[in-house]
Amino acid sequence: MVGEVVLVNAYKKFFREYFNFKGKTSRLDFWYVILSLLILSIIPTAILSYLIFGSLMSISGGGNVQEIMEITFLNIPIFIIGIIYLFLFVPVITMTVRRWRDVGLRASGIILIFCLLVLIVILGFIIHLKQNIIIDFLIVISSSMFLITLMPSQICCTNSKNRISQFFFCSKGER
């Protein structure tokens, strides 16, 4: 019963702070929402994958792509699932940023990390780097950001006078 109340409160906060980048999100609230969204997304993703895989198998058997799309009504589930995922995209990003801020990252550091991710992908397409290099960079940065969500609150706060650490991390007195 207590877990249900915490989950409901976490979802209320998740939707109430749809565009709020400035607040904080506790580790418990963050993971309740993320794991429940992951579990809830398994069913529609599995159904959609089945429909797409079945359609691809029919196409390889000589069927017409347009006929298969009309027969399986693939456009409707793709549209509905796409709308749901787009609706949840913004609050997941804002909640993740709030979680990183709760750990002790500054907004300037978060923005720089996002810019690096986008820059790596863009450079990869422009320069035609090997895909493995792009994927390796994305895995390293994404894994680091994932590990930050697992950390306790204010663990990254620092008393350092170093400008680089002050750019990325909050000082202990700020909290």
Side-chain angles (χ1 to χ4, degrees):
M1 185 68 174
V2 174
E4 288 180 24
V5 172
V6 174
L7 180 62
V8 169
N9 289 337
Y11 264 101
K12 284 180 183 177
K13 187 176 180 182
F14 174 70
F15 286 112
R16 188 177 41 228
E17 298 185 3
Y18 201 91
F19 292 107
N20 181 13
F21 286 92
K22 294 186 179 188
K24 298 178 192 174
T25 299
S26 71
R27 193 169 29 171
L28 185 64
D29 286 348
F30 178 82
W31 284 108
Y32 264 130
V33 172
I34 293 296
L35 291 176
S36 62
L37 284 175
L38 181 67
I39 290 168
L40 291 173
S41 71
I42 289 173
I43 295 168
T45 303
I47 292 170
L48 188 61
S49 298
Y50 175 76
L51 290 172
I52 290 172
F53 184 71
S55 296
L56 290 175
M57 294 305 287
S58 297
I59 291 170
S60 66
N64 183 353
V65 175
Q66 184 64 29
E67 290 173 7
I68 293 169
M69 291 297 277
E70 292 172 3
I71 292 170
T72 61
F73 300 102
L74 197 56
N75 293 329
I76 295 170
I78 287 174
F79 180 75
I80 292 171
I81 291 171
I83 293 296
I84 292 170
Y85 287 163
L86 282 174
F87 176 71
L88 294 173
F89 180 74
V90 172
V92 166
I93 294 296
T94 58
M95 183 181 63
T96 303
V97 169
R98 288 193 311 268
R99 177 71 202 126
W100 292 340
R101 288 175 50 84
D102 186 44
V103 170
L105 291 177
R106 284 186 179 275
S108 56
I110 294 170
I111 291 169
L112 179 68
I113 291 167
F114 275 128
C115 290
L116 284 174
L117 285 171
V118 171
L119 183 66
I120 289 169
V121 172
I122 291 172
L123 283 176
F125 286 116
I126 292 173
I127 302 174
H128 300 290
L129 291 173
K130 290 184 179 180
Q131 265 189 329
N132 293 342
I133 295 172
I134 296 170
I135 292 171
D136 290 344
F137 277 122
L138 291 175
I139 287 173
V140 167
I141 294 173
S142 300
S143 299
S144 302
M145 299 317 291
F146 168 74
L147 291 174
I148 289 173
T149 63
L150 298 173
M151 295 179 170
S153 297
Q154 301 178 8
I155 193 97
C156 291
C157 293
T158 182
N159 286 330
S160 175
K161 300 296 180 196
N162 184 326
R163 287 184 184 232
I164 294 173
S165 65
Q166 288 179 345
F167 181 81
F168 284 102
F169 306 113
C170 297
S171 64
K172 288 192 177 186
E174 279 183 49
R175 300 278 169 167

